[in-house]
Amino acid sequence: MRFQILGPTTALGEDGEPVALGGPRVRALLTLLALHAGRIVGAEQLVDGMYGPKPPEGVANALQSQVSRLRRALGRDLVEFHPAGYRLVADPQEVDARRFELLAQAGRQAIAGGDPGRAATLLREALDLWRGAPLADAPHAGAAAAALEELRLAATEDRVQADLDLGRHRELVAELRQLTAAQPLRERLRAQLMRALYGSGRQAEALTVYDEARKILDEELGVEPGAELAAAHLAVLRADPALGAPAAQAPRRRRGLRAQLTSFVGRDEEIEQVGARLRANRLVTLIGPGGAGKTRLATEAAERAAGDVCFVPLAPVSDGGDVPRAVLAALDIRDTLMHGPERPAVDPVTRLVTALAGRTLLLILDNCEHLVAATAELADALLASCPGLRVLVTGREALGIIGESILPVAPLRLPPPEAGNPLDYPAVRLFADRAAAVRPGFAVDTGNAAQVVRICRALDGLPLAIELAAARLRTLPVSDVAARLDDRFRLLTRGSRTALPRHQTLHAVVAWSWDLLDESEQRLARRLSVFVRGARPEAAERVCGLPEEVLFSLAEKSLVEFVDGRFRMLETIRAFCAERLAESGEVDPVCEAHAGYYLDLVMKADPLLRTGEQLEWLALLDEESDDLNAAARWATESGRLETGLRLLAHSACYWWMRGHRVTSGSLAAALLAELRPGCPPGLEEEYIMCVLITAWTGGVDEGVRPRLAEARQLMPVEFLPSRVEFLMMLLSAFTGPPGDFDEIYPLLMEGIDLLPPWQRALSYGGAAFVLQTVGRIEEALAHFELALAAFKAIGERWGTVLVLSGLCALYQEQRDFTTAYALADEALAVATELDARSEIAEGLCRRGDVLLGLADAAGARADYTRAAEMARRNGSMENLAWAHLGLGEVALFQGDLEEARALLTQARDEVPADWYSAEDTRARIAAALAKVSRPVSER
């Protein structure tokens, strides 16, 4: 167990979670014992620390009572009694105060030993243990708390000393000003501030600090500055090199770095990563797409780096041979010698090696993507010959040399659409910051948050794109900017006039990367834009007609990113490449290849969705869902109606299991609108499935109703599909059992063993549902058991849920609610494992019915409410109507007739009129409404 007393007192168990301690006296007792962990603390000392100078009567009993409470919280063995007092049985290092003291002591020793880097690390670790005022829960232990505060201040001074020894003068000035303001009489802090200012090239300000200190010491204490402060003053006057040479006298330490005019937003973690990489590696390369903020990140890293820095912009350099000369110019190394036969010119690389061999320098080579080979050669030569050199490179691909540490620079983190506070995400904070600069008073609030999030998400979190969008607020409201992002390249055209030309418009940003691609890379990039959510290598190779090596090359050049096994483009890059695809005239053949790939995929996946492999194939189709929808949409829009019918038909089982009713219904309706009346020859099964998909949301358009009637004629109840197997289930749910069931039943059972496994299991289940309907309960139960065994044998969870639900209904009708409840729970568990949204909603409704039968109105209401929410999201109108029916029945059970009538009327309006599977719901709604209208005595 660990104990924290540098702030509110906390005891942490082995799992790291806080232990409940109890009231303030118990916390005060633990604070005092933890302060002296492992040692006996006298009773009088504990009483003084807990109660102060005026303890209550019977204080000995009160102390014993608090000890007992603490033992109950921590365990009896952790608080020992001794004749002289009590002891907390714990290693002192398990107490943050003791650990702080040990770390602070080790940090001081590291400073004395000449290791400021280790000292800074140890002292930061020590100070990070503080969470607030020490011994906060022991208000009468003021002397001990004051001693800890003094140690904390001394550790802070030691940490500042270590940072000064590491050359971090500029970074410390602001912190030291705050510390001296809080501790104006602390001479060591004043001396450290003087050193930090002097090392930052601010000698006059350093002398002013001394004058202010002398005045305060005289006025407050009547004394002169002590030896340390006086020595610092004399060292500044003498320009002592030991203080750190002022910038005005030293060689330029920050060559080529521009002072930034805007704040640095949202990259705190990345800036730490860059610093850590540079400390561990001599060559670090920042890679990422155009506009991701690589240059700004490198600039900020350079500002925070200790030692000399030289920033070399390579964007203006057009020839690889000029890269060494650009570095020489940035370092201000000029060749003043006259050259001739007797004095030949020294080549630029040799001059660089000679100049840098003995120097410690961070060299930044910025924007080298068009000069990768030349930059790699130069970096390799310099690093091999100059041991004090570190190189930080930015570009859209790595240099590809030994020793390179590659750090991808991703777009800024984006909020999800439902984010509670969008300003928690750096992309939104950047937009807000830049927008406020061009439109004073702008702030992200509830009125515009959704639009700002939409802008940032549409622009992939790319900092440059976000800044260009924010700049548009000079002339457009945020709602107009959000609405016009479909034409982002025309909208985002007004960047800084002083920026590089390729950073002044969003189009130019992407065009720069495009122009650096070879012909095969450009061809693959434009064709890859047909994928909505990226592609796996095999899909990209087949659809785009180029080997996967070209795809890998695009990834190396930051045109695509590899995420969860897929290569995807940022939406801005995809939009640019889609324009290039349109210009090439390849749209139709590439889209046809894309649709063909997804048709093959769903035709392979469809039968496997009804086997023990269904979870794997459902997950695969989830991954491909957006592209599957896009392929179906293109097939309709381009007149490839046969392809569209096949895509829809073989996607139906997936859509049904996942509850994608609304999207798929819209796709099917659009396709039917393009078909001439009547069924296309040879595609009867596909056509009927498309009609049923159109109708399965429950809202049947009048134009579809004749097609539904046609479906009933084309597919009689005894029809067995040969291509679209799932049609067997969907058609029976739509049409219901035959009127002459007793005659057809023997015929169906006669050939059932010849059916494929899934159709056989479904046939047993279908027969059981009908047998239950006609009152042949024992036979129904037997057929349900056969169906359940058959579905479990093939590992098919969806069919298992279907049969368990049927069994639940059967036992519910027999008023065996205990068995029905167990079956409903099992069905829900399997549906949840399958993530079958409609079946989960249906299972909740089914369990709600059982709970209402058990008179558990609260439990039933909870299940119906959750079912309604799920059904509303996935467009399952029969389940939505069922849930509202159940809520109405709960209200009726509780005597709230007005609520019951409103909910039942809502359910009546929602329940699909054309689907047989909703017949029971319609009947229950009518019966419940009739009951609401009857007098109380007749209910």
Side-chain angles (χ1 to χ4, degrees):
M1 188 171 286
R2 292 181 291 117
F3 303 90
Q4 298 175 322
I5 58 176
L6 297 178
T9 298
T10 306
L12 302 177
E14 292 183 355
D15 58 359
E17 293 297 320
V19 175
L21 295 174
R25 299 295 187 200
V26 176
R27 305 176 78 85
L29 173 62
L30 176 58
T31 304
L32 297 168
L33 291 172
L35 182 63
H36 306 283
R39 291 180 290 163
I40 298 170
V41 186
E44 290 185 3
Q45 186 177 351
L46 291 173
V47 167
D48 289 342
M50 292 171 63
Y51 298 99
K54 296 182 179 179
E57 294 183 8
V59 70
N61 291 333
L63 176 59
Q64 290 178 0
S65 175
Q66 301 304 329
V67 170
S68 297
R69 291 191 175 95
L70 183 59
R71 283 174 168 170
R72 284 197 295 272
L74 301 182
R76 186 174 186 83
D77 294 339
L78 283 180
V79 183
E80 286 185 352
F81 169 78
H82 287 265
Y86 296 89
R87 181 170 78 99
L88 181 66
V89 182
D91 185 338
Q93 293 198 45
E94 296 300 322
V95 181
D96 59 357
R98 179 56 178 160
R99 179 162 175 75
F100 162 75
E101 292 174 13
L102 293 173
L103 287 167
Q105 181 181 1
R108 283 192 295 276
Q109 291 172 350
I111 292 175
D115 190 352
R118 182 169 181 270
T121 300
L122 290 168
L123 290 162
R124 279 192 170 83
E125 184 179 350
L127 293 166
D128 285 344
L129 295 171
W130 285 71
R131 300 172 297 111
L135 315 184
D137 287 306
H140 300 293
L148 285 169
E149 285 285 7
E150 178 62 24
L151 287 175
R152 180 186 191 181
L153 188 54
T156 301
E157 291 173 336
D158 289 340
R159 196 268 303 157
V160 169
Q161 182 65 43
D163 284 341
L164 285 170
D165 291 347
L166 291 168
R168 297 170 179 164
H169 301 78
R170 296 175 186 274
E171 301 168 33
L172 290 166
V173 170
E175 180 186 3
L176 282 167
R177 287 201 185 280
Q178 291 180 340
L179 288 170
T180 54
Q183 302 286 339
L185 302 178
R186 196 87 174 181
E187 292 191 49
R188 188 182 181 193
L189 288 173
R190 294 276 184 178
Q192 289 175 333
L193 176 57
M194 291 176 66
R195 181 178 171 185
L197 286 166
Y198 181 83
S200 302
R202 298 156 73 175
Q203 183 178 9
E205 290 181 61
L207 294 172
T208 301
V209 169
Y210 176 79
D211 291 335
E212 291 173 352
R214 185 174 60 180
K215 181 178 179 182
I216 290 175
L217 290 169
D218 180 61
E219 291 176 351
E220 296 290 331
L221 304 177
V223 299
E224 287 294 316
E228 182 176 2
L229 189 56
H233 178 234
L234 184 60
V236 172
L237 290 172
R238 291 177 174 176
D240 189 341
L243 289 173
Q249 298 175 10
R252 288 187 182 181
R253 301 181 61 196
R254 294 289 189 268
R255 291 187 179 276
L257 286 178
R258 291 168 52 94
Q260 299 300 312
L261 302 178
T262 57
S263 59
F264 185 59
V265 177
R267 294 287 194 192
D268 294 338
E269 183 177 345
E270 288 91 333
I271 199 70
E272 292 297 329
Q273 288 179 335
V274 175
R277 292 288 186 97
L278 285 171
R279 288 190 290 273
N281 304 275
R282 294 180 59 215
L283 173 61
V284 178
T285 302
L286 306 181
I287 64 169
K294 302 180 294 296
T295 297
R296 183 62 186 271
L297 181 59
T299 302
E300 293 294 330
E303 288 290 354
R304 303 182 191 199
D308 292 356
V309 174
C310 180
F311 187 92
V312 185
L314 294 179
V317 180
S318 58
D319 187 280
D322 291 332
V323 172
R325 295 185 181 87
V327 178
L328 285 168
L331 287 166
D332 199 25
I333 298 173
R334 296 182 176 85
D335 185 4
T336 58
L337 298 176
M338 297 294 292
H339 304 303
E342 299 177 359
R343 194 190 295 266
V346 179
D347 73 271
V349 175
T350 302
R351 291 172 60 201
L352 281 172
V353 169
T354 302
L356 299 178
R359 291 184 61 179
T360 299
L361 175 74
L362 172 61
L363 181 66
I364 300 172
L365 304 176
D366 183 52
N367 284 317
C368 73
E369 54 269 359
H370 59 307
L371 303 165
V372 173
T375 305
E377 290 176 9
L378 178 63
D380 187 60
L382 293 179
L383 288 167
S385 304
C386 308
L389 181 68
R390 291 171 297 152
V391 179
L392 177 61
V393 177
T394 76
R396 302 186 192 183
E397 63 179 299
L399 297 185
I401 59 178
I402 295 174
E404 181 179 26
S405 176
I406 302 168
L407 184 59
V409 179
L412 294 174
R413 196 160 53 92
L414 290 161
E418 67 282 0
N421 181 12
L423 287 170
D424 289 341
Y425 297 85
V428 176
R429 291 203 302 274
L430 178 65
F431 183 92
D433 180 87
R434 301 304 191 256
V438 300
R439 180 177 285 184
F442 176 85
V444 177
D445 54 31
T446 54
N448 61 27
Q451 294 163 335
V452 171
V453 168
R454 180 186 169 195
I455 291 170
C456 294
R457 288 179 63 83
L459 297 175
D460 308 298
L462 284 172
L464 179 63
I466 290 173
E467 291 183 341
L468 290 171
R472 269 298 186 180
L473 295 192
R474 285 193 293 264
T475 54
L476 292 173
V478 68
S479 57
D480 279 9
V481 174
R484 297 185 185 191
L485 284 175
D486 286 343
D487 195 5
R488 66 190 67 199
F489 295 120
R490 289 185 60 192
L491 176 69
L492 306 181
T493 57
R494 297 191 178 183
S496 170
R497 288 190 177 94
T498 59
L500 291 170
R502 67 170 185 266
H503 283 178
Q504 292 181 8
T505 72
L506 187 61
H507 188 277
V509 171
V510 187
W512 169 259
S513 296
W514 174 267
D515 291 339
L516 296 176
L517 303 178
D518 64 30
E519 194 277 332
S520 63
E521 291 168 341
Q522 289 183 349
R523 190 160 66 249
L524 180 59
R526 67 178 181 249
R527 293 176 181 177
L528 195 65
S529 67
V530 75
F531 288 94
V532 178
R533 287 291 176 264
R536 292 190 177 273
E538 61 274 14
E541 186 168 5
R542 174 175 158 183
V543 172
C544 301
L546 288 152
E548 62 181 16
E549 287 75 15
V550 184
L551 181 64
F552 301 155
S553 178
L554 288 178
E556 290 172 356
K557 295 182 178 181
S558 302
L559 259 292
V560 299
E561 56 182 353
F562 185 67
V563 181
D564 297 330
R566 300 175 73 80
F567 289 86
R568 64 179 292 270
M569 290 177 164
L570 297 177
E571 195 57 35
T572 295
I573 295 175
R574 179 171 174 258
F576 180 94
C577 292
E579 288 183 357
R580 307 290 78 75
L581 182 65
E583 292 170 357
S584 71
E586 296 177 339
V587 171
D588 279 350
V590 174
C591 286
E592 189 161 13
H594 179 263
Y597 175 82
Y598 282 98
L599 177 58
D600 288 349
L601 177 66
V602 295
M603 290 187 72
K604 179 181 180 181
D606 185 24
L608 295 171
L609 292 177
R610 295 176 294 280
T611 69
E613 300 178 53
Q614 65 189 169
L615 292 182
E616 293 83 355
W617 283 95
L618 281 169
L620 175 61
L621 290 179
D622 285 342
E623 186 181 310
E624 304 286 359
S625 178
D626 289 333
D627 276 282
L628 175 57
N629 295 343
R633 193 174 295 111
W634 174 83
T636 295
E637 293 171 353
S638 63
R640 274 73 163 182
L641 304 184
E642 180 177 332
T643 297
L645 280 172
R646 294 182 189 277
L647 274 167
L648 289 165
H650 291 282
S651 302
C653 180
Y654 165 70
W655 285 331
W656 182 275
M657 288 184 178
R658 280 295 188 248
H660 294 175
R661 303 284 187 89
V662 176
T663 300
S664 56
S666 299
L667 290 170
L671 179 58
L672 283 183
E674 296 298 319
L675 278 174
R676 291 193 298 271
C679 174
L683 292 173
E684 290 80 8
E685 293 179 26
E686 291 81 0
Y687 172 73
I688 298 306
M689 183 60 90
C690 184
V691 172
L692 295 179
I693 293 171
T694 306
W696 67 18
T697 57
V700 178
D701 184 86
E702 286 304 316
V704 176
R705 204 170 297 279
R707 295 186 186 267
L708 288 171
E710 184 184 13
R712 289 188 175 94
Q713 295 175 354
L714 286 170
M715 301 287 169
V717 70
E718 67 275 13
F719 176 82
L720 291 175
S722 60
R723 296 187 305 278
V724 187
E725 188 180 50
F726 195 65
L727 183 59
M728 180 177 175
M729 187 289 301
L730 207 59
L731 196 62
S732 63
F734 175 65
T735 62
D740 50 355
F741 174 75
D742 289 336
E743 296 179 15
I744 293 179
Y745 172 69
L747 298 175
L748 293 177
M749 292 299 103
E750 182 179 322
I752 196 169
D753 291 335
L754 301 176
L755 294 175
W758 188 82
Q759 289 187 338
R760 182 166 63 251
L762 188 67
S763 295
Y764 279 130
F769 279 109
V770 179
L771 288 166
Q772 178 186 351
T773 301
V774 298
R776 294 158 62 174
I777 302 303
E778 293 301 322
E779 292 177 84
L781 181 59
H783 280 74
F784 273 134
E785 295 295 347
L786 286 170
L788 186 60
F791 279 126
K792 287 186 174 181
I794 60 177
E796 209 281 84
R797 296 165 183 80
W798 182 87
T800 300
V801 173
L802 179 72
V803 177
L804 287 170
S805 184
L807 278 168
C808 173
L810 187 148
Y811 281 103
Q812 183 185 345
E813 283 184 4
Q814 305 305 307
R815 305 196 65 76
D816 183 351
F817 294 117
T818 301
T819 303
Y821 185 85
L823 288 163
D825 252 4
E826 184 181 356
L828 260 176
V830 179
T832 301
E833 179 189 8
L834 189 59
D835 195 23
R837 318 290 170 76
S838 295
E839 280 63 38
I840 294 173
E842 180 180 333
L844 288 166
C845 289
R846 182 74 68 192
R847 191 172 68 179
D849 289 351
V850 176
L851 288 169
L852 195 54
L854 291 167
D856 183 356
R861 180 185 291 275
D863 275 356
Y864 289 136
T865 300
R866 186 177 161 210
E869 292 171 357
M870 294 192 69
R872 187 179 294 108
R873 285 199 300 269
N874 64 35
S876 176
M877 297 305 295
E878 71 274 18
N879 288 328
L880 184 61
W882 189 351
H884 285 141
L885 160 65
L887 289 169
E889 290 178 333
V890 170
L892 183 59
F893 176 82
Q894 295 177 328
D896 190 340
L897 299 186
E898 289 305 315
E899 183 182 5
R901 182 178 289 105
L903 287 163
L904 292 167
T905 302
Q906 184 177 357
R908 183 186 62 192
D909 295 339
E910 291 165 343
V911 66
D914 296 278
W915 286 77
Y916 171 80
S917 58
E919 188 172 284
D920 180 61
T921 303
R922 290 193 292 270
R924 279 176 57 187
I925 292 169
L929 280 170
K931 193 173 182 180
V932 168
S933 302
R934 288 202 300 268
V936 176
S937 59
E938 298 179 17
R939 292 192 198 113

